[in-house]
């Protein structure tokens, strides 16, 4: 989270402290670098579990036909593809990402899968959403919030654009609660993952950043608190895979 001290307005980029104004550009470079191998690396890194995690997040979102949904940090469109089928032709899913390379890849994947007609694409910063108040039934963000510079601002924006009765769904890496597995998890995160990134994507540094960004992200209770501070209500979370990831849900009334 960015400091409120204007003389030291810094934030974390992985384990580094960088000027807050630079973080978005640095994150953008990471995802431009990995875009071409992003889906393959997701499968390898999670041993395919990310697909189950995303389906569970969609189940928790309780999506219905005809709804209007904003998918932030949509990337290559995994959530959006599934949600577009759930909302049907009368609904709409808007895929939004700050990174044009990732969004273009998502558009191409959806076209290849025949998902057209009820999807749109918008390049946008989650901290400054170009949508009116009370516009969406759901806002989702999967594995993207930890890369946002001012998470509290982005969460407040998500609340602003959902309708009363709507909810925000955040799927994100979290805090492993099976503590005996922590050393093995750390070994995988900081040794295996960067080497895998080097071998498959020719980019160890980006995957080292991804591992570090997970450790710097708030844990389950911390993120729940941020959502409540943003004005979301009935906030709760659902741990998956021992807390490696968690799905957070908060409502607007």
């Amino acid at each position: 989270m960015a400091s409120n001290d204007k003389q030291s307005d810094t934030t974390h980029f992985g384990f580094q402290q960088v000027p807050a104004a630079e973080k978005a550009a640095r994150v953008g470079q990471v995802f431009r670098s990995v875009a071409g191998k992003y889906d393959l690396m997701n499968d390898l890194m999670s041993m395919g579990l990310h697909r189950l995690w995303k389906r569970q997040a969609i189940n928790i979102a309780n999506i219905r036909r005809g709804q209007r949904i904003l998918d932030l940090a949509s990337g290559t469109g995994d959530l959006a593809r599934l949600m577009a089928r759930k909302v049907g032709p009368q609904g709409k899913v808007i895929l939004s990402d700050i990174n044009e390379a990732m969004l273009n890849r998502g558009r191409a994947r959806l076209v290849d899968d025949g998902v057209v007609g009820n999807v749109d694409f918008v390049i946008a910063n989650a901290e400054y959403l170009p949508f009116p108040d009370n516009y969406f039934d759901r806002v989702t963000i999967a594995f993207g919030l930890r890369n946002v510079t001012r998470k509290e601002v982005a969460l407040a924006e998500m609340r602003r654009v959902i309708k009363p009765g709507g909810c925000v769904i955040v799927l994100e890496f979290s805090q492993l609660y099976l503590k005996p597995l922590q050393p093995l998890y750390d070994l995988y995160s900081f040794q295996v993952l960067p080497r895998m990134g080097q071998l498959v994507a020719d980019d160890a540094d980006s995957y080292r950043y991804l591992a570090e960004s997970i450790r710097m992200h708030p844990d389950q209770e911390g993120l729940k608190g941020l959502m409540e501070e943003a004005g979301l209500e009935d906030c709760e979370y659902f741990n998956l895979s021992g807390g490696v990831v968690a799905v957070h849900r908060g409502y607007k009334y």
Side-chain angles (χ1 to χ4, degrees), residues 70-83:
L70 174 62
D71 186 35
L72 292 172
S74 196
T76 57
D78 279 351
L79 258 68
R81 183 172 63 256
L82 297 171
M83 294 190 296

Side-chain angles (χ1 to χ4, degrees), residues 88-150:
Q90 287 76 40
K92 178 71 71 175
V93 177
I94 296 180
L95 291 79
S96 179
D97 203 293
I98 197 172
N99 190 290
E100 186 175 3
M102 294 293 290
L103 198 60
N104 285 339
R105 189 162 179 81
R107 180 188 289 110
R109 285 190 68 204
L110 265 63
V111 170
D112 288 346
D113 289 345
V115 182
V116 295
N118 67 344
V119 293
D120 282 328
F121 303 85
V122 175
I123 295 174
N125 186 327
E127 297 179 25
Y128 308 99
L129 296 179
F131 305 105
D133 298 354
N134 307 316
Y135 190 70
F136 295 99
D137 297 286
R138 303 284 186 272
V139 174
T140 60
I141 181 167
F143 304 118
L145 186 62
R146 72 181 187 281
N147 297 311
V148 174
T149 304
R150 298 181 298 168

